[in-house]
Amino acid sequence: MTLPKRVFSGARPSGRQHLGNYMGAIRNYVALQEEFDECLYCAVDVHALTTMTSKEETGEIQQNIREMVLDWLAAGLNPEKSIIFVQSHVPEVMTLHTLLSMVTPMGWLMRVPTFKDKVRQMEATDESVPYGLVGYPVLMTADIILYKAEVVPVGEDQLPHLELSREIVRRFNNLFGPVFPEPQARLTESPMILGTDGQAKMSKTMNNHIELAATEDETAAKVKTMVTDPQRARRTDPGRPWVCNVYKLHHWFNPDKLDEVYRECTAAGIGCVDDKKLLAEGVNTYFSEFRERRREFASRDGYVEEVLLDGANRAGAIAKETIREVEESMGLRLKAR
Ligand code: AMP
Ligand code: TRP
């Protein structure tokens, strides 16, 4: 039986998605379609603008949306069940963002850990940081509650944002009445995947990522660069799988070979080169049907555009209802009788 609650998640259109996106978020987007009646998945293009500083970057948005949506469809998002759309195609979200910004204290926004990281990444200062970047979590809250969503599948890095979303909702409801439910994060069993460097979270910006849609050879080449146990200098040294990110990924891509790899690695029976070959094979097998489906969707002329247009229409209808209710509760229009 499916539950009446709504699910919402968004991701910045960063182009082809990587193993971190899939293991941390996308596989839950897919799974939740079975558990809940209504799921909305959104390419948040306006969020992408918060850190963009050039026309070269914004020129890639359309292509990046397409690549990301192709990954979502290939992973199993079903546009007949789920509403798949682009944030700016439902402009009501900007109205809600402005209205929520009236009840969100600056202090809450300045304390968000990802805010400080992004300011640093952009090499901005308190003086030069764009106003839109400060409001990033307010826009994210607007995304979710415009649809009164309660379940939000995301990776671990998004938890501070969701905490803030709940605070904004509580504040709004206290001031203007119980309009919104409080959204809760839904994590996967692997809410934080490390990159090929074995140090930082896998991300495109760090270029430590492995794309789902990569070819088998590209995958093998990328896996080959992965950092393993730094203390294992020679092939004959025993390895320590518990500190090795290649071993961690075997949990997901070679679950039936875990014991064997552990034994062989700690006994120096297998070297890192062979171990990585095994991982690349595991990843390639895991995503082989995904890659086939992706090619098929990509070859259908106008298909992605059609999915997104339908999604925007369905999302827009819900959004208009919420905005009416919000404006009434905030005294911006007479209550409908
Ligand atoms: P982003 O590409 O940063 O917009 O992220 C899209 C979704 O993937 C969000 O729900 C993130 O939390 C999730 N995600 C991104 N990178 C990782 C990672 N390395 N491990 C787990 N989840 C991730
Ligand atoms: N902040 C999220 C990220 O960087 C993207 C996002 C925007 C989002 N709006 C959202 C995620 C609403 C979940 C719900 O990945």
Side-chain angles (χ1 to χ4, degrees):
M1 209 192 61
T2 53
L3 298 168
K5 280 183 190 173
R6 278 202 192 110
V7 175
F8 182 98
S9 196
R12 282 168 299 146
S14 50
R16 292 181 169 200
Q17 301 292 283
H18 53 67
L19 289 188
N21 299 131
Y22 183 81
M23 297 307 289
I26 299 171
R27 66 183 172 128
N28 254 356
Y29 299 177
V30 177
L32 292 173
Q33 295 182 120
E34 305 306 318
E35 206 180 316
F36 294 93
D37 257 352
E38 223 169 354
C39 301
L40 295 101
Y41 298 112
C42 181
V44 292
D45 55 348
V46 182
H47 272 97
L49 293 179
T50 59
T51 51
M52 288 188 168
T53 50
S54 72
K55 194 120 179 137
E56 280 80 65
E57 285 176 286
T58 54
E60 292 174 359
I61 294 176
Q62 297 309 316
Q63 185 60 22
N64 284 343
I65 290 175
R66 178 183 162 80
E67 298 287 348
M68 182 165 83
V69 171
L70 281 171
D71 281 338
W72 286 356
L73 295 168
L77 284 197
N78 175 356
E80 308 219 323
K81 285 199 80 169
S82 294
I83 300 179
I84 303 171
F85 70 109
V86 177
Q87 186 183 32
S88 66
H89 296 179
V90 184
E92 282 80 2
V93 74
M94 319 238 216
T95 306
L96 187 56
H97 168 253
T98 303
L99 297 176
L100 293 180
S101 75
M102 308 304 167
V103 303
T104 310
M106 277 293 281
W108 291 2
L109 298 173
M110 309 299 281
R111 276 195 294 274
V112 177
T114 48
F115 172 67
K116 296 199 184 78
D117 293 347
K118 285 214 179 109
V119 172
R120 221 173 299 125
Q121 259 172 35
M122 285 184 87
E123 296 175 9
T125 62
D126 282 358
E127 282 295 308
S128 69
V129 58
Y131 168 61
L133 183 60
V134 183
Y136 186 106
V138 184
L139 183 57
M140 176 161 163
T141 306
D143 283 327
I144 302 167
I145 70 178
L146 184 57
Y147 306 100
K148 299 193 177 181
E150 293 177 70
V151 180
V152 185
V154 281
E156 195 173 76
D157 59 319
Q158 296 301 313
L159 292 179
H161 290 152
L162 274 161
E163 183 65 48
L164 191 54
S165 292
R166 285 190 291 276
E167 284 175 42
I168 295 174
V169 164
R170 283 197 281 272
R171 184 118 207 234
F172 184 98
N173 288 347
N174 275 333
L175 286 167
F176 303 114
V179 175
F180 297 112
E182 288 185 25
Q184 305 291 338
R186 176 72 74 98
L187 300 180
T188 64
E189 286 167 19
S190 50
M192 211 283 282
I193 298 287
L194 287 177
T196 49
D197 52 12
Q199 301 272 325
K201 153 187 113 144
M202 184 175 284
S203 75
K204 191 170 174 175
T205 355
M206 295 290 292
N207 194 23
N208 63 0
H209 63 303
I210 300 171
E211 290 175 354
L212 310 178
T215 63
E216 297 200 343
D217 289 346
E218 285 164 355
T219 305
K222 206 71 201 221
V223 171
K224 217 170 169 182
T225 69
M226 283 182 74
V227 174
T228 53
D229 175 4
Q231 277 182 28
R232 193 174 185 196
R234 283 174 297 264
R235 166 71 181 76
T236 48
D237 295 339
R240 298 174 303 161
W242 56 92
V243 301
C244 177
N245 192 32
V246 174
Y247 181 71
K248 275 203 194 99
L249 291 183
H250 281 310
H251 279 89
W252 311 112
F253 300 109
N254 284 316
D256 52 331
K257 300 205 175 81
L258 264 188
D259 292 348
E260 184 190 331
V261 168
Y262 191 95
R263 209 173 41 241
E264 293 296 318
C265 172
T266 47
I270 178 181
C272 293
V273 174
D274 290 330
D275 188 30
K276 288 176 184 176
K277 260 193 204 137
L278 202 62
L279 179 62
E281 278 165 23
V283 172
N284 284 331
T285 306
Y286 192 99
F287 289 107
S288 86
E289 281 173 28
F290 165 97
R291 289 169 182 169
E292 225 164 88
R293 282 194 298 269
R294 193 185 197 281
R295 271 192 295 278
E296 206 275 307
F297 286 129
S299 72
R300 291 193 206 169
D301 218 17
Y303 180 61
V304 171
E305 292 74 11
E306 204 179 290
V307 166
L308 294 175
L309 179 62
D310 177 58
N313 286 333
R314 287 152 72 195
I318 308 173
K320 283 192 180 64
E321 270 300 298
T322 310
I323 291 295
R324 189 186 48 74
E325 201 182 335
V326 170
E327 289 182 346
E328 282 179 7
S329 66
M330 291 181 92
L332 294 177
R333 63 160 106 186
L334 287 172
K335 277 201 173 22
R337 268 187 278 170

